[in-house]
Each structure stands twice: as C-alpha cells, then as structure tokens.
Amino acid sequence: MVLGDLDGDSLLDAVTIHDDVALATVLKGDGKGGLRPLGAPVDLGRRGAKAVLHDMNRDGKTDLVVAVGGAVAVLLGNGRAGWAHVPDSPFPVGRGAWSLAVADFDGDGRSDVATADFEAGTLSVLLQR
C-alpha cells in the first residue's frame, strides 16, 4: 500500500496492490483514518508488487509506478484519482523485478525508475526520455 493525495483535496488516499491479481485498488481517505474504495480497481496489466506514487511527468498530478514482475507499469494520474497507462507500459526489465525506486538517477531533472530484479540477479534502470 502507498499513501498520497490522489485527488487534490489535501487528504491522504491509498493505493493497494494485489499480488494475486493484476489489479490495484484506489481508496479515498476521509481525513479521520477512514478509507473507502474510489471507483473500479485499476488494471495494471500484470500482477504487481511494489508501488510508488510520484509525479513522473511533472504536471503536478500524482502518478502510479508499479513493479509488475519482469516489467514496470507507469500510469499517469488525472488529479481525480483516475489513471491512464503510459504508451508502451509496462516496460520490460529483468526477471523478478518485485521492488523499485524512483529518482533522478542521471541528473537530467527527470524522474527515472530502478528495479531490483531478484530472479535475474540484476538491477535495471529505466531512464526517462
């Protein structure tokens, strides 16, 4: 589960990843510790594990990045807790990529993604163009 303001109301919302199905559930926070489902589950395309909320395209809206086995799914947020897959997502990485981190790894001002590919015994880095 990851927490962030997904709809611009300054309250924490949550995204939960289901490792047994290729879905993520978005939960709306009420500011008092309560959460309720917000819309239908999001189709990740593959079973997911680790998720990060981050503004990948610098539009001021929270995006969702998920390690989905041997790939990384990137979904752009619309500021109302809705998502759209980035073209060509999920992006292939090493086998067993069940963990990831988002940072500017090459110093160009854009967010990149790194995965720990457990089954392949490698590290993959996806540099944003």
Side-chain angles (χ1 to χ4, degrees), residues 48-128:
K50 172 76 174 181
V52 172
L53 293 172
H54 186 82
D55 184 3
M56 294 298 291
N57 60 349
R58 299 175 293 189
D59 66 354
K61 298 170 186 156
T62 303
D63 305 317
L64 178 62
V65 183
V66 184
V68 289
V72 172
V74 179
L75 294 90
L76 299 180
N78 66 5
R80 298 178 309 278
W83 311 96
H85 280 269
V86 169
D88 300 324
S89 174
F91 301 100
V93 291
R95 232 173 351 103
W98 297 114
S99 186
L100 60 80
V102 175
D104 180 8
F105 296 114
D106 60 356
D108 66 356
R110 293 178 289 212
S111 298
D112 308 307
V113 178
T115 62
D117 312 324
F118 296 113
E119 294 167 24
T122 60
L123 174 74
S124 296
V125 178
L126 299 172
L127 299 176
Q128 195 173 159

